[in-house]
Each structure stands twice: as C-alpha cells, then as structure tokens.
Amino acid sequence: MDQLLPGDIVEAGRLFPEALAACADLDALLRLKGAYVGREGSHAAHMMDLLKAAPKDQKRDLGAAINAFKQQWEEALKIRQAELESAKKARSAQAANWDPSLPPPRPAEGALHPLNRLMDRLVEVFRPLGFHVEEGPEVETEAHNFDGLNIPEDHPAKASSDTFYLAAHPELLLRTHTSPVQVRTLLRIAPELATRGGVRFLAPGRVYRKDEIDPTHSPMFHQVEGMLVGHGIGMQHLKGTLEYALRALFGPHTEIRLRPSYFPFVEPGCEVDVSCPLCDAKGCRVCKGSGWVEILGAGLIHPNVLSYAGIDPNEWSGWAFGMGVERMAMMLSQTPDLRLFFENDQRFLRAMGGLD
Amino acid sequence: MWIERKVLAQELPAVAGLDTRHVCELLAALGFPVDGVVSREGTEALDVDITANRGDAMSHRGIARELATKLAQPMAPLAPAEPVEGTPIVDVRLEVMACPVYSTAVLELGSGSTPLEVQSFLLALEASPKRLPAVDASNELLHRYGHPTHAFDADRIEGAVSVRWARAGEALVTLDGIERTLTSLDMVIADEQGPIALAGVMGGERTKVTEGTRRVLLESAYFDAKTVRAAARRHSLHTDASHRFGRGADPAMARIARNQLVERLTQWCGARLVGAWTAGSLPVPAAPTFLKTTLLTRVAGEILSLAEAAEILERLGCAVAMEAHGLRVQAPTWRHDLVIAEDLAEEVLRLRGYERIPSVLPPMEGPPQTLSATYLQRQKLSRRLAHLGFHQTVTYGFISPEADGAFSAPDNPPEGRTLSNPLGLEYSVMRGSLLPSLQTTAEQNLRQGAREVRLFELGPAYTSSPSGPREVPSLALVWGGTLGGQDYLTPARAVREADLTGIAHDLGLTRAPEVRSLGEGLFGLELPLADLPLAGDRIIPTFRPFSRFPVVERDLSLLVDLGQTYEALAAAMRVALPADTLQDLRCVDVFRHRSLPEGRQAWLLRMRFQADRTLVGDEVDGWIAAALGAAESLGAKLRA
Ligand SMILES: [Zn+2]
C-alpha cells in the first residue's frame, strides 16, 4: 500500500515514533501535531491534496492508506499529549507544596535559671501541706541574722572573714543564710499565732558568705529554709514531712536517714541524708559508694528562737530545716563546676533550666 | 580530728573486735561522721568530724566514751596514782574568775626520751613528736584525754606565778616566735617579769622547755571557754589547746591530767617529783536540769519509758533523780552542752538512734496561707519571659564601683551601698542597677558565639538611704544580636530598641519604657517590679460587649517631619476620630529615603473602624479627612 504514497510521506511516517518520543513538553508536541496532522501544510494536508488529485480508480485504496496513517498519528499524539499534561500537572502541584522536612520557623527558646527552677519545685512540693512562701531582705541586721537565732555573740561566723558587712552601716550585713526569714516571720506573726493556728512556710533566697570563687565555692548562693510552728511538734513531724517531701522530689522509693548534728538554732538537731537518687542507693561516685547523700540540716526550733520572737516555747514548738540549692543542683545534675550557675551561658541555661 | 584505732581500743576495749566500717557507722549515727580513714604508722587513723558544741569529744577518750555509751560497754579505768599534794614550791595566784583551778607540780627531769609507741601515736595523728618528754607527754595527753596542759622550764620562771588579765600593751613572745601585744581582755600566766603564756592558747618563748631544761613546772588548769575563744580570735592563734578550752574543757580533768603528766615523766625519763599542789578549786556545777516527761514525749514523738531515759543519761555520765513528772539531771563536768531540757531529750533520742523516731505528718491547725501577690508576680513574669525567648540569669548582687557608677541614678550614691570587707573592688558595691551584670553576661554570650542574646534577671537593685541600702525588687532585660534568618520564611534583621519596648508592653507596662543602648546592637531595660501589674490584677474584668459588624480598614500615607513623634501625631488624630468607633490606629510602616523631600519621612498609618452597625463609606471618608486635617495641623502632608 505504501507504494501508493510518495517517498517523503513514507519517510515522515517512519520518523514519526522517534519524533513523538523526543517531545519533552506540550509545546514541542503541538509543533509536531501541526507538522503531521495540522489543517495546512502538514503531511496529512499534503496527503489530502494527493487524494484529490489521484485518478478515480486509485482513490479508494489511497484513501484507506491515508486514513490509516492519519489515524495512527492522531492516536499516538493524543496519548502522548495526555502523558505530558499529567506530568505538567504533577510538576505544578510539586511547586505549590513545600518540603515538610525543611527547618520550620520556631518560636524563640528561652529558659528559667536551673536554681530558680529547683526552688520553685521545692515550693510546689510543700504547697499541698499548706506551706506558703516568706521572703526577707538580703541586706540584714546582725540581730536577725545571728542574735535571733541563738547564735552566740562571739560565734566565728560573725567575723569579717566570714560575713560581708556594710561600710556605712556596721550593724548591717549580707545575710549568711535564709534563717533570718524565720526570725522576721516569727516576730511578725507572733501576736496572731493562736488565731492562725501556727505557721508553716518556705523561705527560698540568695545568701552570701565570704568564700573565694572556685569550682565548689561562691560568695553568693541559694538556700531554701522551711519552718513549721504548732502545738506539740516533735521530731516525728520533721521526719514525716521530710519523708513526704523528699519522696515527692526524688521518687516514692526514696528513704531518708536522720543523723544527730548541731546548729545553734535547733535542738535536737540533725543532718538528713536521702538514699542516692542517682544509683538507687546501690553506690556510685556521687554518694561515694555509700548509697546516701546529705541533703539538708534540720531540727526542732530552739526555745530561745521562739522566745526571741515573743512566742512561748512552753506552748508552741516547731521544726526548721535549711538546704543548699546549688549543692542539690550540682548533685542532681552532676554539674562539675559551681561557677557555671553564675556564668549564665544561654546554652547551659537552656539545657539545665529550660521551660516548664 | 584524727582518732587512732589502737589507742581508741585501749580506752574502750570493745572496739578492738569491731571492724573499722562498723566503728564509722556507729560514730555517724552518734553525730560524728567520719570523713575518711587512712593507714599510717602501721595503724588506721579516722578523720572524725566533731560539731562545735562537743569539746568533750575532741579526744580518744571522748570518742571512746560516746561509743561506750552506745554499746553499753565499759571504758578502761582512768586512775593514775595521785601524787601526794604538799605545800607549793612556787607561789601560784589565781587572780581571775576565768581560771578557777590550776593544778601544778615541779619535777627534776632525768635522762630518757619519749617512748617510740608514743612517737608513732603522735605521727599517726599528724602531730610531730619533739623528743622532749615534757612536751610530747603534754601533747599525747591532749590527744588522748582532751585536756591541754603545759610544761614551763621552772628555772626560767622569776618568782611567783599568777593567772591574771594582761595589762594593755604588755608583750609576750609566744612559742611560734611571734611577739604579741596583749590587751586587758587577754588572760595570761605571768611571773614577776611579765606574761609567760597566753592562757589556754599558747606558752611563751622565754620559759619554753628545751634540751637543756632540768626542772619543769607543769600546768594543768581549767580556763573559761569564752575567754580563750576571744583570745585565740584576737591574736589569730588557733591551737589544739585553744580549740579544746574554747569549746569547754572538763575542770575535773585539771588534777587528773597533772597526775598523768607526772606519771609519764617519771616513767619516760626517770623524773623526780619535787612537789605537787593545786591552786583554787573546781567551779560550782550548774544547777540540775529538769526533763519533763511531757517534753520528752513531745520531742520523741512517742511515749518513752522514763527508766530507759534515765538509764541512757546515766550511761552518759549524768546524775539522774527520777521524780513524779520527769527526771532531774545533773550533767557530767565534761558536758557543757547539756543546759536545757531539750538538750537532754536530744541525748535520749541520739543514744536510742534517730532511726527509731516515728514518721508522722504534722496536723493542720489553721487554714493554709496563699502565696503573696509579689511572689506570684515574679513566678509568672519569669515564665512569661522564658516563653518569650529570654533566659533567666543569676548574677552576684555586688559589682565594681565603675560598673555601678555607669548605671546607677545620680541620686543613689554608692557610699551607702559599699561593703567594708569585699572579696575585692570588683565585688564591693551592692548594685544600684541589674543592667551592668546583664550587659557583661550578654557580651560574654555573644563572644562565645551566640547569634542572639536574650536575658532577664529578677532581683533587688539597691538604693542608698540613711537607714541602709533599700532593696527595690526589679526586672532587667537585655536583648541583642540578630533575629530571624534561621529558616526559609523569616528574614534576618538586627535586634532593635523597639523589640524591647514591645516586650515591656507585653508584660503590662503602661508607660513608655526607657530602653538603653548597651553598645552595638545590644539593648537593656530595667523596671521596678512595682511598675508591672500584680498577678491579682489580672482576674477576669467586667464584660464589655464587642461589635460583630464588619471592620473597615483605611490607610493614610503621610509625609511628616523627621523630628515628628508618632505619639503626638497619633494623639492629635485620635482627637479627630470617633472614639467609640475607632478600634485601632497605628503606624505600620516607616519609609526614609533620599527620594523624599529633605527633612521628611513617610509614615503609613492604618485605622480600623467598627461600630454596632454597618459603616457607610461616606462617613468613614469624613473621619479620614478629619484625621488628615489633624495631621496636617502638625505639618504632615498627604503623600502623593
Ligand atoms: Zn549513688
């Protein structure tokens, strides 16, 4: 049948599949479509001209051959057009989509200071027992910092080698512990102690001692003081409260241990150890293999402290404790150098304090 | 304090059979934690921590006594032969109450040296033996029995010996070779030439025992604790003797220790006793203390048998009389710390073991207290700021005078806030502002490679006042570096002053904040917390209805003078606009460029209107015209 058609058409028919495959986009395809089956100047138009001019007896066979060519081309073009159109659609869909694994914009990341966070945590632990927060000034009187706490007038802690004093006000000092908050609070509430039904509070805060700055010492550090005054308060209540609080802090299996000790403002006095929260009391570097770590000092309020505040120690009694916040933070986090807490590198603060 | 195991076992034979770990546990449970154990001189030495109230435990005998009481085991007897006391060889006069008793003796020394076992005992305690029997024996007694004694070269003493207050300005060269100028508060031992020892602290150079000493005068006295403590502190002279007298020695040991010293010198170097005598007498013991049953029960948290309590106190050396409602207790001469009933209750609990104390939560007696508004304010502020990307810092309250001077208000002089004994000049002034510390911290963070630094601190700033530094609870913020540029959506830009202003308004500051430039691209702001709303102020306010009709938004582009403040312009425009309909007026863009007329800038002002009806275009046009008129009255022009 091909012999009915001129050589250039046959050649165009032979080249068609390759040309079709070479069309990378719709424009190229439309150009190819125009060249083969377009209304004017195309191979198909050329064939129609041939058909018109052909002798009558050949028209039938020639017409069939031309139709076969045209049909084959049109079908292939249609399929290829659909392919290219769907590829284009897919590309534009991709352009509208953003890779979800690209780093997104993020809200700025700040942090609480780890020492403040730890103090806040202690307050949270004691809140359910009815403890509130009392605070006092960091510049204190000698009376509140020492005398009201049954600390003898010639106690070495009073020396200028241990305590910072104000030059223009020799009776003023930087408090060496949070215990003067006990004195202030007791003095303030003494008249209403009976109507309030005693008092129970925590006093977190900053304190100062004349220590040179090194990996384990700082002239400023933090303490949390706890105090409870009521009727018939004894060592069992101190033990009960601390057991509750330290279990709330370190976990329900925590054990505590009281060891006799001495602080002028309590009697009896004790040091409190907690079963090592880092090794489950199995023994590690932090607890020096003993399974116990010292966590705070405590005792029953010395009657002289109550009397100083105008509270009758025959009617009222209570307990008090004081703990070092840095010491506990260093123990829990195993931070090797105390100075990191005062350097305030944002990386340290984010890692150690973070957000609630 | 070092405790050597072999001598400890000599004082308390029951210890010999216990392993060291067990001894350490017993001591810790008694309130004497052991900080370490070392092997030295073929024995073990325990580093025992002794609290300041327990001078009686500062010896092998003292520690043995504690263990003996806990274990209910007998101590080795303490009974050296009593030398026959006779008439004084040297006149000893006690002129002060602070020295009630002074036992002494004169001996002629023979030949012979300190026994090797005593030398190695002293070496195990890190106390160097001098190989002078009189000196070493005194030293051994101190560590073994806790009673400090002294030996003088009797031939160097001139005339009578007295215990008296020093005369102000009198000099004494102590054994360490230092000449001390004495005060009238110093108690001294003196001969007719002057002081020969600072009582209870250290002997003097002039009468010290040397290789050539032939006759010694012994001193075994009791000195008042407070007087000795004061002298040791006054002269910065803290010695083994002053530690023990300073915490309270046992007056009854004066005579015993003298006898032990005589016995040792007789045995070690064939010394011959010339005479022994005692000046003064034992001080009158304090009145007994009554331990009420009710107090013991309250402290212990359970009912304890009085008989058990009495038995424990007797084991401690107390004389106990059982009465109807408690125990009448006379403390032993070595326990100066047993003064009030609570002290006795503690002893009962301590010897029973603190592990036996019951565990009970204290009952509530009254309503719980709320947290204060100022405390809650700080809690909420710190959390808000942390969520806004700020890091909470903790910096020292004292700074250098230079740093303070750069930030503190002119009416806040540093003199009233300066420490008399700072760690150094850079830590000498209680800061009048938190900003210097935050600036330093911010710069350090930037130097360490931080792209952006956002810090805040909550703490007191100090204001000088006639009654002393006043604490002003304050908030300080610093912000600097580069914002954004960390993802494909947020362009990078430098932190601007306005960023901090925005934070201040976010925290509830109603006035314009004073943002300070702290250097290239670093800004700071400090506020007294009193300027910020308290937590309680944020309780839900009364309901105010709001419109649900459509909002009309209009922009005005104005050319204004470079010196024009937005605040004044906005205020003028607001006056011209209907207050109940204007929801918002703000400048949303500032354009400064040389294409604009000189001295002018372009502001894009956006107004939002909303009312309880649908607004008509004409009326809004009228308002905009009025607002433009108001702006024009301040020199603004509509931008073409
Ligand atoms: Zn551990």
Side-chain angles (χ1 to χ4, degrees), chain B residues 1-64:
Chain B
M1 192 190 64
W2 291 110
I3 292 292
E4 189 270 315
R5 274 217 58 165
K6 282 192 290 192
V7 169
L8 184 66
Q10 283 168 23
E11 293 298 327
L12 178 63
V15 165
L18 303 178
D19 67 36
T20 303
R21 198 190 159 91
H22 187 194
V23 174
C24 293
E25 278 166 9
L26 281 171
L27 285 172
L30 285 163
F32 303 98
V34 178
D35 292 338
V37 178
V38 297
S39 292
R40 265 202 294 258
E41 294 294 310
T43 180
E44 275 180 327
L46 281 55
D47 185 6
V48 183
D49 206 1
I50 294 167
T51 51
N53 59 331
R54 293 302 303 274
D56 66 288
M58 294 183 75
S59 67
H60 288 68
R61 182 123 187 129
I63 290 295

Side-chain angles (χ1 to χ4, degrees), chain A residues 123 127 130-136 181 185 188 196 200-204, chain B residues 368-381 473 529 533-537:
Chain A
V123 172
R127 278 299 285 158
F131 283 71
H132 68 282
V133 173
E134 290 284 348
E135 294 175 289
V181 181
T185 306
R188 192 186 75 232
R196 287 172 75 126
R200 43 180 79 189
F201 62 87
L202 292 191
Chain B
Q369 303 287 307
T370 54
L371 295 170
S372 74
T374 51
Y375 176 79
L376 289 172
Q377 180 194 37
R378 274 174 288 132
Q379 294 299 302
K380 290 187 174 164
L381 270 177
L529 289 180
L534 282 177
D537 296 354

Side-chain angles (χ1 to χ4, degrees), chain A residues 135 138 160 231 267 356, chain B residues 346 365 378 383 421 471:
Chain A
E135 294 175 289
E138 292 170 20
S160 62
H231 287 100
E267 190 65 44
D356 275 350
Chain B
E346 177 182 49
E365 292 185 48
R378 274 174 288 132
R383 274 151 188 79
N421 57 336
E471 292 183 7

Side-chain angles (χ1 to χ4, degrees), chain A residues 267, chain B residues 53-54 286-289 313 316-318 329-332 334-347 350:
Chain A
E267 190 65 44
Chain B
N53 59 331
R54 293 302 303 274
T289 305
L313 291 168
L316 280 166
C318 298
V329 181
Q330 180 70 56
W334 57 86
R335 291 298 299 269
H336 300 277
D337 61 318
L338 303 183
V339 180
I340 58 172
E342 282 82 353
D343 296 329
L344 299 173
E346 177 182 49
E347 289 303 281
R350 189 170 70 90

Side-chain angles (χ1 to χ4, degrees), chain A residues 262-302:
Chain A
Y262 169 70
F263 309 97
F265 30 92
V266 289
E267 190 65 44
C270 60
E271 299 269 13
V272 179
D273 296 339
V274 62
S275 54
C276 181
L278 296 170
C279 65
D280 281 332
K282 287 181 184 73
C284 68
R285 200 178 49 80
V286 171
C287 59
K288 298 191 188 84
S290 73
W292 294 99
V293 281
E294 191 182 313
I295 205 93
L296 55 89
L300 297 188
I301 305 168
H302 196 287

